[in-house]
Amino acid sequence: MFPDPPAAGALAELAGEGPTADWARAVAHRLRCAVVLGFIRRDKEDSSLFNSQAVFQPSGELVAVYDKHFLYAADETWAKQGSGFATLRCDWLGGLKVGLGICMDINPCKFEAAWDEFEFASFHKREGSQVILFSSAWCNRHPNDPEPSPVNGPDTINYWAARLRPLIGSHVYFVAANRVGCEPVTLVSPSGKGDVTFVGSSCVIDLQRPSLVRCLNTVHPAVLVCALPLQRPPTAPS
């Protein structure tokens, strides 16, 4: 979390440049896999800052950058809103269509839209996303909350699944990577007291059944490994 643009800007990078991109390329090359990660993006044209997600294909090439569309209170202190939700056609996975998302994106816009608008899930249903990659810093309190809520992994996962209701019954996997640890709430709310706890619970949800494939706990950083039977999009007739 960052109290203002200068604090966030100290860690910002141009897309595809800097230590974050260098690390992602090295991992993609070494493991022959795609790498998807969050970073603070500085716009090359006007230096605006975005809460962003980058996708590197197994060759190490940067193939997509997504800027968070729905901003949370902790983003509004420093980030500019992205223009819309996004998907990516992954040629290295036979054309699999992958949806991208960051944390607040899954919620009703500004917590003001109707619950059943399901903006994020409805977009990915229309676009035919087959896997949704969700980078998150989901926590146990809004900066304006006087007290934090208890950390409960099953409640977090059930909430994400509830927000994906339009996709239930579709052959779609939701893959969430959520951070753990704590930060002082005063970073974004000067009058606040105590810490914000990030609730972990990184997981893979099969939305067709629906069912939880695997998950991590709420406390410890770890690596979650799953083998998923992915359906490739149909080939157009020649």
Side-chain angles (χ1 to χ4, degrees):
M1 300 188 299
F2 304 97
D4 51 42
L11 297 175
E13 301 175 20
L14 298 177
E17 302 179 21
T20 303
D22 292 343
W23 177 87
R25 287 193 186 92
V27 171
H29 277 299
R30 180 167 61 88
L31 299 180
R32 299 190 181 115
C33 70
V35 175
V36 182
L37 47 73
F39 75 113
I40 301 171
R41 184 176 78 82
R42 184 184 300 279
D43 186 77
K44 187 176 290 188
E45 302 299 323
D46 64 6
S47 294
S48 294
L49 300 178
F50 294 86
N51 185 344
S52 301
Q53 202 177 29
V55 182
F56 294 81
Q57 67 180 14
S59 68
E61 178 187 358
L62 175 67
V63 293
V65 174
Y66 165 66
D67 298 323
K68 187 177 183 181
H69 185 37
F70 287 176
L71 298 184
Y72 185 60
D75 300 306
E76 292 172 347
T77 59
W78 62 271
K80 185 175 178 179
Q81 183 177 24
S83 59
F85 300 127
T87 61
L88 170 68
R89 184 78 71 181
C90 298
D91 294 338
W92 66 92
L93 292 174
L96 191 82
K97 199 161 190 181
V98 171
L100 304 174
I102 304 173
C103 205
M104 178 69 187
D105 282 333
I106 202 171
N107 281 316
C109 184
K110 297 183 180 296
F111 296 115
E112 296 172 357
W115 171 271
D116 58 3
E117 286 188 28
F118 297 111
E119 303 100 317
F120 180 74
S122 296
F123 170 86
H124 288 293
K125 186 175 181 67
R126 288 194 305 271
E127 293 296 315
S129 299
Q130 297 161 282
V131 176
I132 297 172
L133 303 179
F134 184 71
S135 303
S136 186
W138 204 271
C139 62
N140 70 332
R141 69 185 296 187
H142 186 279
N144 296 331
D145 290 344
E147 297 292 336
S149 300
V151 174
N152 186 305
D155 282 355
T156 300
I157 294 170
N158 285 333
Y159 180 86
W160 291 336
R163 291 299 304 156
L164 296 167
R165 193 174 74 184
L167 293 163
I168 299 297
S170 303
H171 190 86
V172 179
Y173 290 98
F174 176 75
V175 181
N178 192 52
R179 67 167 290 191
V180 296
C182 297
E183 290 186 4
V185 72
T186 51
L187 284 174
V188 291
S189 180
S191 62
K193 296 181 180 180
D195 289 337
V196 170
T197 300
F198 300 95
V199 301
S201 309
S202 297
C203 63
V204 177
I205 302 173
D206 179 350
L207 293 170
Q208 186 172 38
R209 298 185 177 183
S211 62
L212 179 64
V213 179
R214 290 192 70 185
C215 69
L216 298 178
N217 63 36
T218 61
V219 178
H220 301 109
V223 176
L224 181 63
V225 179
C226 290
L228 303 177
L230 302 177
Q231 282 187 346
R232 295 182 177 180
T235 303
S238 56

